[in-house]
Amino acid sequence: MKFSKLFLIALSTSLFVSCSNDDNNDNDKAPKGVYDNGFFILNEGTAQGTVSFSSNDLTSFTKDVYATVNGSDVLGKFAQNIFFSGDNAYIISGGANNITVVNRYTFKLITKIETGLKNPRYGVVKDGKAYVTNANTYSFENAATGNTDDYIAVINLATNTFESKIDLNSTANRVVLKDGKLYITDPYNDKLLVFDIATKKLDTPVQIGLNGDCIEEENGILYILKGGNGNSSELVKVKIADKTTTKITFPQSLDGAGFMDLENSKIYYTVGSSVYTMNTTATAASTTPIVTSPATYVYGFAVNNSRIYVAQGNFSTDGKAYIYNLTGTLQKELTTGIGTNGFYFNN
């Protein structure tokens, strides 16, 4: 499950990752499979997760891609995140302690990684290895405080096997990769963890204050959004070169900011069911929404290729995905699966 949902229960509670070719050979433009040139929508589920798919032109939609392709085999409980490497997609299931490996263009099952993982969360890839955060003994009982036994699982993607474990002595959640270092959010403490892959050591953490979660990187700056579950909202910018920080404190009307993404030097963020935007150079947060969706519980969010994607995370009925252009016009509404929580672009 996402921490945001667990917070709500306990307290009363993407990396999205293009390349062009000047060759005009038509064969180079041909899709690599049925699920090329579109996006996946991850549905966390309760007993098991599912993955939906839409073509980029929004004319073709499959509600449960994995079942369509792989028959009776099922994804694990609490599908959390998808990351890509080469022709493969890796689907993290936190409740099943596994990663399902499929071809990203056909979605045909390749294998499942089932060792070395405990409550896996998010993953990034460098030099043929995946680095996956694990919440370890995280539970409803410690949902308000986290714990200190979280770790990174290192996965060899050539063999799809667990290789080693990096203890963090902290809580760990989202992760981004930049210049050979992992930047990992710790929502319960006032720090951003930094792990140097080359030296295999933790650097001095960056002090950012409590509740930092959503994290993105652009042009050598990390952007970290704080404010989930009704807390005061803040955007922290960390200059990677020298680890200096600047902050934008949001007005009280924007308490409880939930999700963030970057697109073309703009920051997009959610508060409740509304979406706001400001330039990366802004010194104050915008209080005028550009989109207010019908979603009563926003559980996933992305901005990609001049579109805004908002997920309604129902857990008793199928969720919804709402897709808008950047001026706020609804382009498509899709009925997805239980607990819709993320968008992953397969171009």
Side-chain angles (χ1 to χ4, degrees):
M1 288 186 175
K2 289 198 173 183
F3 282 144
S4 56
K5 181 167 182 280
L6 291 174
F7 284 158
L8 290 170
I9 294 170
L11 298 179
S12 87
T13 51
S14 341
L15 79 170
F16 310 115
V17 269
S18 123
C19 178
S20 62
N21 190 327
D22 293 331
D23 192 336
N24 291 322
N25 189 318
D26 288 339
N27 290 332
D28 290 338
K29 298 180 181 179
K32 295 182 179 180
V34 175
Y35 304 111
D36 196 2
N37 299 319
F39 57 94
F40 299 112
I41 306 169
L42 190 61
N43 307 298
E44 185 173 299
T46 52
Q48 66 186 56
T50 63
V51 181
S52 305
F53 175 82
S54 173
S55 58
N56 284 333
D57 62 10
L58 306 179
T59 62
S60 175
F61 177 71
T62 304
K63 184 179 177 182
D64 189 342
V65 178
Y66 192 79
T68 298
V69 175
N70 296 296
S72 60
D73 192 81
V74 297
L75 284 179
K77 187 177 182 180
F78 302 150
Q80 173 64 36
N81 178 246
I82 299 175
F83 63 90
F84 300 112
S85 180
D87 288 346
N88 292 347
Y90 299 80
I91 308 162
I92 297 174
S93 296
N97 296 324
N98 70 18
I99 300 174
T100 301
V101 186
V102 299
N103 181 287
R104 66 191 289 178
Y105 305 113
T106 67
F107 233 69
K108 183 69 176 176
L109 175 64
I110 296 172
T111 191
K112 295 187 180 184
I113 303 167
E114 299 181 303
T115 60
L117 303 168
K118 190 167 183 180
N119 284 329
R121 303 290 297 162
Y122 296 90
V124 294
V125 174
K126 179 174 173 54
D127 297 334
K129 295 182 181 181
Y131 296 83
V132 179
T133 57
N134 285 254
N136 204 359
T137 57
Y138 183 89
S139 66
F140 288 106
E141 288 71 24
N142 63 15
T145 58
N147 52 41
T148 60
D149 63 1
D150 293 11
Y151 65 93
I152 298 169
V154 183
I155 308 294
N156 186 322
L157 298 184
T159 59
N160 288 317
T161 56
F162 170 76
E163 186 173 272
S164 62
K165 175 183 173 184
I166 301 165
D167 291 317
L168 296 172
N169 193 34
S170 187
T171 304
N173 196 37
R174 300 179 190 266
V175 56
V176 298
L177 169 71
K178 180 64 176 178
D179 296 335
K181 293 188 177 184
L182 305 177
Y183 296 88
I184 306 162
T185 60
D186 177 349
Y188 303 100
N189 295 294
D190 61 355
K191 59 190 176 184
L192 177 71
L193 305 177
V194 184
F195 180 78
D196 190 317
I197 293 175
T199 65
K200 300 182 180 179
K201 294 181 179 179
L202 284 164
D203 289 354
T204 301
V206 182
Q207 303 301 311
I208 61 170
L210 294 171
N211 300 315
D213 192 17
C214 284
I215 181 170
E216 299 288 337
E217 183 275 333
E218 186 176 276
N219 297 327
I221 297 175
L222 297 168
Y223 297 81
I224 302 147
L225 184 66
K226 302 161 55 181
N229 306 296
N231 294 307
S232 298
S233 302
E234 192 172 57
L235 180 76
V236 181
K237 302 179 186 180
V238 180
K239 187 177 180 181
I240 291 176
D242 58 12
K243 305 298 190 297
T244 55
T245 63
T246 56
K247 299 180 180 181
I248 297 175
T249 301
F250 289 19
Q252 189 174 6
S253 62
L254 296 181
D255 282 356
F259 294 90
M260 175 192 66
D261 205 356
L262 303 183
E263 170 95 338
N264 294 329
S265 297
K266 287 183 176 290
I267 305 165
Y268 295 83
Y269 51 99
T270 70
V271 180
S273 60
S274 295
V275 180
Y276 303 78
T277 188
M278 60 180 168
N279 292 327
T280 54
T281 57
T283 57
S286 170
T287 59
T288 303
I290 58 172
V291 168
T292 297
S293 77
T296 56
Y297 179 36
V298 174
Y299 202 48
F301 175 71
V303 181
N304 185 73
N305 198 23
S306 299
R307 286 178 178 163
I308 297 168
Y309 299 77
V310 178
Q312 163 70 51
N314 293 331
F315 281 86
S316 58
T317 61
D318 286 336
K320 297 280 188 179
Y322 302 99
I323 303 166
Y324 300 86
N325 65 19
L326 295 182
T327 61
T329 300
L330 182 66
Q331 296 188 317
K332 197 75 173 182
E333 176 182 327
L334 300 170
T335 299
T336 51
I338 301 293
T340 303
N341 68 8
F343 302 91
Y344 303 87
F345 303 95
N346 198 32
N347 302 318

